[in-house]
Amino acid sequence: MNIAKRVLLTFVAMVAAVVSYAQPTDPVHWTTSVEALGDDIYRVEFKAEPDMGWHLYDLGPYEGGPMATTFVFEPSSAYELVGEVTADKESTREYNSIFDMEIGYYATPVKFSQEVKSSGAEIAVTVDWMACNDQNCTTGSNDFTIKVGNADAVADAAVEGADAAAEPAKSADKGGKSLWSLILAAVGWALVALLTPCVFPMIPMTVSFFLKGSGSVARGRFRALMYGLFIVLLYTLPIGVIIFLTWLIGGDAVTADIFNWIATHWLPNLIFFAVFMVFAASFFGAFEIVLPEKLVNDSDAKADKGGLTGIFFMALTLVLVSFSCTGPIIGSALIQSTSGEFWAPILTMLAFSVVFALPFTLFALFPSWLKQLPKSGGWLNSVKVVLGFVELALGLKFLSVADQTYHWGLLDREVYLALWIAIFSLMGLYLLGKLKFKHDSDMPYLSVGRLILAIITFSFVVYMIPGMWGAPLNALSGYLPPIQSQDFVMGAGSATISENTPKQGVKYGDVLELPHGLEGFFDLEEAEAYAAEVGKPLFVDFTGHGCVNCREMESRVWSDERVLDILRKEYVIVALYADDKLKVAEEDWVTTDTGKVLKTLGKINSYYALKTYGVNAQPYYVLQGRDGKPLIEPRGYDLDVEAFIDFLKRGVEAYK
């Protein structure tokens, strides 16, 4: 029996080796983290996440059975192990007739922990493991180097595979995500994207476009469904092609430059701004947007076939405009494709686009229902005029993005707010019947609905007025230019400055500013030199002029006095703008691994973030120690103030 078991085990190991060689990626993803428990005791955690359909064997041991998960710590006098490796949950245990024993396994993420005692050490660990699915098994061995204690501690390092030490550091939560978690995250981001300033204005444009449709109810539904389908295809198919090329040519051959260009370059932003201004003027009745007569006749001739050309280009307009806010999400999918994934990014984008397209499809159906009402009246034109005011206001966002990235100085925060106050004041007067446009009907009395809308509009105007003197206006933080662009902020300059607070960085300090009167740097080398001089950790802020979430973080989280106090007293701040178009001096140009020369500040910072941390989305916050490595796990967009304060405090503790 023992001989048979050994022969069978040898055979399984041989099959596992062949299968493992044939697979492009391991089915189990590992990440590590370190938690200080006090008194020089640290808990080292190894998180294992099996892919869907795979299971990882537990700690065993299994003599004459499958390979149990084993942790081998390289002996060193710099540390000692406290206790043994434990798991954070019980394994699923089943009797295996082949090995004639009960075997435990994990089909879902599990954390293994080992406590160590050390005043400071670099710990080398090898994890050997075996995982199986319904068809085959594979073995793996991962090497980790983890630092605990001392000033060079790295509290959370995300590494995968034996070659991880030679690769650029990547964010700790990226590699281990399961397919379902990625899809759920994409659904969540799609819902958030619908409320962003570069997507929301497309809703009234959709309503306006489909109001012009004619024909039966069935035809209206068909047009709306095709509109939704085109949106899904325009998002998913190009990403699929790009990911395929990335996989075929190599990850380094494809970058996210195209998405950054669409989101921040002056040309697409000015085009989008002009489009919204034209639509607003059309809604006000200045002119009617119509196709040339020949195209109209051709469109009528194709009516029986659905007239899909116009619907396709309407969907294309939506997709292009929305890139300003969805670009970082799509860029993240591209990054994932460079790490060995293929289908996951495509399925993620499919889930995102379906959820994203659904409301627009419903709004495309809505005009068809409106047209079936027996009476339309003048209310329909009133809806268009109100939408015109909304288009006018939200279209300014695109001009603002170009203005911020190129430092034109056209739309500082107070100018932007003044325009919004004027626009929405006029909208309120229109709702009260004090303004009348070309195609408006006579309004013998004020309806209750218009009165309520007018009250809401004027309340919004009153809310914005304090912003002219520097009020944060947290509800609008993502739509407005950064507060540091405002000439006058009441109370600014009253904050106490510690003696070690740096003056504004020499490089780029004449065109860039930090929010809330904070002082710091905009060049990493300059900031690192100063941080070493004063003995403080670096707070690295990967941000962007066109980053809506960055403005929200600065307005809702950074504005907390406790956050500002820690940033001023405990950190040296460096803001690295990923979309700034400033051309740097020739000696600061950067040549990428593919030989491309980067000449603008934004491209250099974006390349650094991608190469070093594997991210191209903002905001992204890194607390950096003396060795240039993260003190703790970096942090992204999260409006939890208490968690951000804890993040900053843990960074200070790790540095000390």
Side-chain angles (χ1 to χ4, degrees), residues 284-342:
F284 291 148
F287 49 81
E288 189 73 20
I289 300 177
V290 295
L291 294 172
E293 185 177 352
K294 184 178 184 305
L295 292 179
V296 173
N297 293 334
D298 291 342
S299 178
D300 289 339
K302 296 177 181 179
D304 292 338
K305 298 181 180 180
L308 299 181
T309 303
I311 299 174
F312 171 80
F313 281 103
M314 184 64 190
L316 179 62
T317 301
L318 167 64
V319 171
L320 290 176
V321 170
S322 66
F323 261 124
S324 296
C325 289
T326 59
I329 302 170
I330 298 171
S332 297
L334 284 178
I335 290 176
Q336 189 182 35
S337 72
T338 65
S339 62
E341 298 289 343
F342 185 84

Side-chain angles (χ1 to χ4, degrees), residues 230-249:
F230 283 142
I231 294 173
V232 173
L233 293 178
L234 285 168
Y235 264 114
T236 307
L237 288 183
I239 294 301
V241 171
I242 293 174
I243 290 175
F244 175 75
L245 292 176
T246 302
W247 174 79
L248 186 65
I249 301 172

Side-chain angles (χ1 to χ4, degrees), residues 379-402:
W379 67 270
L380 193 55
N381 191 70
S382 297
V383 170
K384 291 180 63 177
V385 171
V386 170
L387 293 179
F389 281 112
V390 175
E391 294 284 298
L392 197 63
L394 296 180
L396 291 173
K397 177 64 180 175
F398 298 103
L399 180 60
S400 175
V401 170

Side-chain angles (χ1 to χ4, degrees), residues 31-35 43-47 111 146 154-157:
T31 56
T32 68
S33 62
V34 174
E35 180 184 2
R43 179 185 293 117
V44 182
E45 288 189 342
F46 303 83
K47 184 177 182 180
K111 287 183 179 179
I146 303 166
V154 178
D156 192 9

Side-chain angles (χ1 to χ4, degrees), residues 174-256:
K174 177 169 66 73
K177 286 187 175 179
S178 67
L179 179 59
W180 282 112
S181 65
L182 288 171
I183 291 175
L184 291 175
V187 170
W189 277 114
L191 296 174
V192 172
L194 291 168
L195 303 177
T196 57
C198 44
V199 175
F200 184 76
M202 291 303 299
I203 292 176
M205 293 178 68
T206 296
V207 173
S208 175
F209 179 83
F210 283 91
L211 277 173
K212 299 174 183 178
S214 60
S216 64
V217 175
R219 182 172 179 270
R221 291 173 180 170
F222 172 77
R223 284 162 50 86
L225 292 175
M226 291 306 300
Y227 179 55
L229 178 62
F230 283 142
I231 294 173
V232 173
L233 293 178
L234 285 168
Y235 264 114
T236 307
L237 288 183
I239 294 301
V241 171
I242 293 174
I243 290 175
F244 175 75
L245 292 176
T246 302
W247 174 79
L248 186 65
I249 301 172
D252 293 335
V254 178
T255 69

Side-chain angles (χ1 to χ4, degrees), residues 607-625:
Y607 175 71
Y608 172 74
L610 182 62
K611 184 177 178 63
T612 308
Y613 299 104
V615 297
N616 74 333
Q618 301 86 43
Y620 193 70
Y621 305 112
V622 179
L623 306 182
Q624 182 175 307

